[in-house]
Amino acid sequence: MRISVLGPLEVVHLNAIITPTAAKLRQVLALLALHSGRVVRNEQILEELWEDNPPVSVTTTMQTYIYQLRKLLRLQRTGLPTSEEYDTRPLPSLQTSPGGYSLNYEPECLDAYRFEQLVNQGRLECSAGRWTDAAATLTHAGLLWRGPALADVNVGPVLHAEILRLDEFRRNALELRLEADLRLGRHHELIGELARLVGQEPTNESLQSKLIIALHRAGRRAEALRVYQQLRTALNQELGLDPSEELQRLHRAVLDADGSLDLPLDDEVRRVTLVEPQCQLPPRRNNLLSRDEPRSVALAALCAGEASGPATIVVTGPPASGKSAFAVDVAHSVRHHYPDGQLYARLIDDDGNPLDKNEILGHFLRALDNQHPDLPSGTHDRMLRFRSLTSDRRLLTVFEDVTNLDQLAGLTPSGDGCAVIVISRRRLAPSPSATVIELSPLDLEQSGVMLAGCLGRDKEGTPAADSELLRLCDGLPGALATVANRLKVRPHWTPARAVRWIKAELARDGGATSDPLGLRAGVWQSYLCLTPPGRAAFRIVTEAAAGTVSTAELAARLSAPEYIAETILDELAELCLVTIQEDDSSTCHCLPCIRAVGHQLIEEHTRLSEMLTEGTFDIPAQESFRLQYAQRAL
């Protein structure tokens, strides 16, 4: 069981969300969760729920809430495992004690407990002068917060006091982390964050002093002095106070260019950046549908803080499944965990050709160290330089269009505090500790939410037409976005007309001039990654009426043993062109839209290949780009 209170209340067990919806039940659950292992007296529960105005049947009502909560924890919708499966740890339980109740579960299940443990660890690391470890630990702690504590719970006086305590703990952790980052010479990175925090709390002298120090160390003394003047004005107007003696001394030190404000350097505290860090990440996409579960997995993998090599996640999925949008969103969410910069590179061009690794390394090196513009000319020397520059940094690198592990050789950072996000149409495992996240298609309800969001809810049609339009997109975010854009630029179209047009385009055997679902480029790139037997198998899959092919059928069509056919199906599944059920590894299934587009592309490939073989080059201009693909595929 996992209970989250640092943000909206959420309870997850065996990957099923079991958060109660009733307001009072949520209050009781939050109260018991924050007092895990301790008896919460009946008087406390009554005060929290009703304060001084309890109902007449208060005892019966409270017992009903406890019964419902106990039932929720033990009889979940996904089914509760037997006790034998939990022989090494006890099941969570809600126990009745004289005069109260106690909710018992492993402390690590509560995000507030993990947060306090990390903050205490970070405080000890600060005391020991281990500023690098402290900054990483406290950054990890801050990422556990998803918003205000118990943001969606109507709290009473008891929970209100707990929220105040957690907020104060969070504030202290933030200031500790800022101090650690300042001691590490990360003043350039902190200026923007500190300016935002100061804007939220204009009379917070601690934050103001840190911003003044950061600006001073960045060589922006005039701005540092301006911050002090703004603070003095705010304190005088709002509270009738003057800045503290400590801040006045800081002001005089900035005026005198006092060397005591410079970064202290010793064996533990070193400058970790040579230049102001760069963020090369593409912008987030507004139409990204929330994928809470895979996002939580990605954030946990990237913020684990384990010193066993760079944290690595691989984001994969079918064509148009939103891999890039998801990965970029995750990268932006963990930016502050990697303050030394965020690098980004595509590894193939628009035609599917691999980009020059030497140029990518040069791009990275210039971003990391512009104080030494003379770059090594050879690829091997650039790899060594990149490895050296990243050995002691907290750097995030995002690679898009990765099709094999050879492309990553020499491009990944070497430091334990770094991270790598790989966006690939193929399932890859760059390291034994890498986390592979496969994005599955959205269900019908999620597809409807995304389409409505893309359209701004200004396009309505009959329910049947809307349902058919969603079905044609097969839950692929890229296809949904393409359809939404088509409807926007053709406002006279109804969803029913869009359905007719998409069906007509997908039904054509080849030579289609439009891409109704935006799938052609992605499916073709995946097709080019297949071996010749894999391409033959994919042709057979696209010709199947229902897009379902068994190992026996494929073996018969290819005149090959079944174990060879099974290996070929595995290749298609590895490239996410088909899915193979875990309970039936002998059968694969292809999404209808991918099957239709794949069939068109293979027909075009075959036709153009024959024309090349026969020496017939009278090809329409609009199809010339497909000729290049056919030549490369041959």
Side-chain angles (χ1 to χ4, degrees):
M1 186 169 66
R2 187 176 72 250
I3 302 178
S4 301
V5 298
L6 303 181
L9 177 66
E10 184 179 75
V11 184
V12 178
H13 194 271
L14 298 178
N15 294 323
I17 298 177
I18 58 172
T19 312
T21 56
K24 294 294 186 184
L25 193 57
R26 294 164 69 85
Q27 274 184 273
V28 177
L29 174 58
L31 182 62
L32 293 173
L34 285 170
H35 294 81
S36 170
R38 293 173 288 169
V39 175
V40 179
R41 301 190 315 277
N42 292 337
E43 293 81 3
Q44 289 178 285
I45 300 177
L46 296 180
E47 181 184 5
E48 169 63 28
L49 294 179
W50 296 287
E51 297 190 43
D52 298 327
N53 189 28
V56 176
S57 57
V58 61
T59 302
T60 302
T61 303
M62 182 175 63
Q63 290 173 347
T64 300
Y65 290 150
I66 297 298
Y67 166 77
Q68 292 174 347
L69 188 56
R70 182 179 286 119
K71 181 179 179 181
L72 176 66
L73 293 175
R74 287 192 171 274
L75 299 176
Q76 304 169 48
R77 290 172 297 176
T78 55
L80 186 69
T82 61
S83 58
E84 289 78 4
E85 297 181 44
Y86 281 77
D87 54 354
T88 59
R89 58 179 182 179
L91 286 168
S93 61
L94 177 53
Q95 298 180 359
T96 303
S97 301
Y101 302 90
S102 62
L103 179 61
N104 302 295
Y105 55 87
E106 295 181 357
E108 292 77 11
C109 295
L110 181 67
D111 59 352
Y113 174 85
R114 299 196 305 274
F115 170 71
E116 294 186 25
Q117 292 296 105
L118 286 170
V119 173
N120 290 332
Q121 177 186 336
R123 186 177 288 112
L124 291 175
E125 290 167 345
C126 286
S127 300
R130 295 161 51 200
W131 301 105
T132 302
D133 294 337
T137 300
L138 294 167
T139 299
H140 186 193
L143 288 172
L144 292 177
W145 285 76
R146 299 167 293 115
L150 297 175
D152 57 352
V153 176
N154 297 323
V155 301
V158 182
L159 281 178
H160 181 68
E162 282 294 319
I163 289 175
L164 290 178
R165 183 186 68 83
L166 288 171
D167 285 342
E168 186 62 28
F169 217 80
R170 183 187 191 183
R171 187 176 293 106
N172 292 338
L174 173 63
E175 297 208 11
L176 274 176
R177 197 263 300 166
L178 293 171
E179 178 63 26
D181 282 340
L182 278 175
R183 294 295 298 266
L184 289 168
R186 295 170 177 164
H187 36 272
H188 286 291
E189 302 95 305
L190 288 178
I191 290 174
E193 181 183 4
L194 282 167
R196 175 179 58 82
L197 293 170
V198 163
Q200 296 171 353
E201 300 183 58
T203 59
N204 187 315
E205 293 185 293
S206 177
L207 292 175
Q208 298 274 9
S209 65
K210 289 179 173 59
L211 178 56
I212 291 171
I213 292 173
L215 287 168
H216 173 79
R217 290 179 181 172
R220 297 158 67 173
R221 293 175 59 207
E223 294 177 58
L225 293 172
R226 192 177 304 119
V227 169
Y228 176 82
Q229 296 299 335
Q230 291 171 348
L231 170 63
R232 185 171 66 175
T233 301
L235 286 173
N236 184 267
Q237 291 180 349
E238 295 184 24
L239 304 173
L241 299 174
D242 289 327
S244 65
E245 181 61 32
E246 180 181 352
L247 263 170
Q248 292 181 38
R249 287 196 300 269
L250 178 60
H251 178 232
R252 289 192 295 270
V254 174
L255 286 171
D256 298 338
D258 194 330
S260 64
L261 295 183
D262 293 339
L263 179 68
L265 297 176
D266 53 39
D267 290 340
E268 277 292 326
V269 182
R270 297 177 293 121
R271 294 183 184 269
V272 294
T273 56
L274 299 175
V275 295
E276 188 168 349
Q278 295 192 20
C279 176
Q280 301 176 347
L281 301 176
R284 279 173 161 150
R285 299 183 186 177
N286 294 329
N287 61 359
L288 176 67
L289 189 77
S290 176
R291 291 179 180 265
D292 293 334
E293 185 175 347
R295 190 174 189 275
S296 297
V297 173
L299 294 178
L302 293 173
C303 303
E306 299 176 358
S308 57
T312 304
I313 66 169
V314 178
V315 181
T316 186
S321 58
K323 299 182 288 292
S324 297
F326 173 84
V328 169
D329 178 67
V330 168
H332 278 283
S333 299
V334 299
R335 275 189 60 196
H336 293 301
H337 198 68
Y338 299 95
D340 296 328
Q342 303 87 42
L343 304 179
Y344 169 87
R346 286 188 64 191
L347 299 190
I348 62 173
D349 61 19
D350 293 336
D351 293 330
N353 300 311
L355 293 173
D356 186 4
K357 188 175 293 187
N358 198 47
E359 291 185 6
I360 296 174
L361 284 167
H363 173 67
F364 284 175
L365 292 175
R366 282 186 289 271
L368 293 175
D369 184 10
N370 59 16
Q371 296 181 3
H372 300 86
D374 296 331
L375 298 178
S377 57
T379 301
H380 180 69
D381 290 336
R382 290 189 177 189
M383 287 182 182
L384 295 178
R385 178 77 172 276
F386 181 66
R387 189 182 306 167
S388 175
L389 284 176
T390 59
S391 60
D392 293 315
R393 298 195 184 193
R394 297 190 62 79
L395 186 75
L396 174 66
T397 52
V398 179
F399 297 102
E400 187 162 9
D401 288 330
V402 180
T403 58
N404 59 73
L405 294 178
D406 290 341
Q407 291 174 282
L408 295 173
L411 295 180
T412 56
S414 59
D416 290 337
C418 297
V420 178
I421 298 179
V422 175
I423 307 169
S424 174
R425 64 187 72 252
R426 183 194 297 272
R427 294 175 188 149
L428 300 173
S431 67
S433 60
T435 300
V436 179
I437 299 174
E438 182 168 341
L439 300 181
S440 57
L442 308 175
D443 60 30
L444 197 62
E445 181 180 357
Q446 292 173 321
S447 298
V449 171
M450 179 175 177
L451 185 61
C454 292
L455 292 173
R457 303 183 183 276
D458 59 352
K459 175 69 69 174
E460 297 180 357
T462 63
D466 289 342
S467 177
E468 183 69 5
L469 191 61
L470 298 177
R471 188 191 65 78
L472 286 172
C473 294
D474 284 323
L476 298 176
L480 290 164
T482 300
V483 168
N485 290 336
R486 178 75 63 174
L487 290 173
K488 280 184 177 181
V489 299
R490 296 182 180 178
H492 57 285
W493 274 27
T494 62
R497 179 168 179 181
V499 166
R500 292 195 302 271
W501 177 73
I502 293 172
K503 284 184 174 180
E505 289 298 311
L506 294 180
R508 301 174 67 174
D509 287 338
T513 59
S514 64
D515 189 7
L517 298 179
L519 296 176
R520 294 173 67 83
V523 174
W524 184 250
Q525 292 288 354
S526 297
Y527 177 76
L528 291 179
C529 292
L530 292 170
T531 61
R535 294 179 186 178
F538 187 54
R539 171 189 281 274
I540 293 171
V541 170
T542 63
E543 293 171 350
T548 301
V549 175
S550 68
T551 303
E553 291 175 297
L554 185 62
R557 291 285 303 274
L558 295 176
S559 300
E562 286 198 16
Y563 75 91
I564 295 293
E566 186 175 354
T567 300
I568 296 173
L569 283 185
D570 288 338
E571 181 188 0
L572 297 182
E574 184 181 313
L575 277 156
C576 302
L577 289 171
V578 302
T579 56
I580 299 177
Q581 299 297 327
E582 293 183 3
D583 56 350
D584 185 11
S585 60
S586 63
T587 303
C588 75
H589 176 73
C590 183
L591 289 175
C593 63
I594 292 180
R595 177 165 54 88
V597 172
H599 179 72
Q600 287 182 337
L601 289 169
I602 291 173
E603 289 297 316
E604 292 175 23
H605 176 207
T606 302
R607 180 169 57 86
L608 293 173
S609 299
E610 291 174 352
M611 295 175 72
L612 284 169
T613 302
E614 296 170 358
T616 306
F617 296 100
D618 185 17
I619 299 174
Q622 65 267 26
E623 296 184 358
S624 61
F625 75 98
R626 285 193 289 273
L627 177 60
Q628 300 173 24
Y629 288 136
Q631 289 174 318
R632 185 162 62 255
L634 285 175

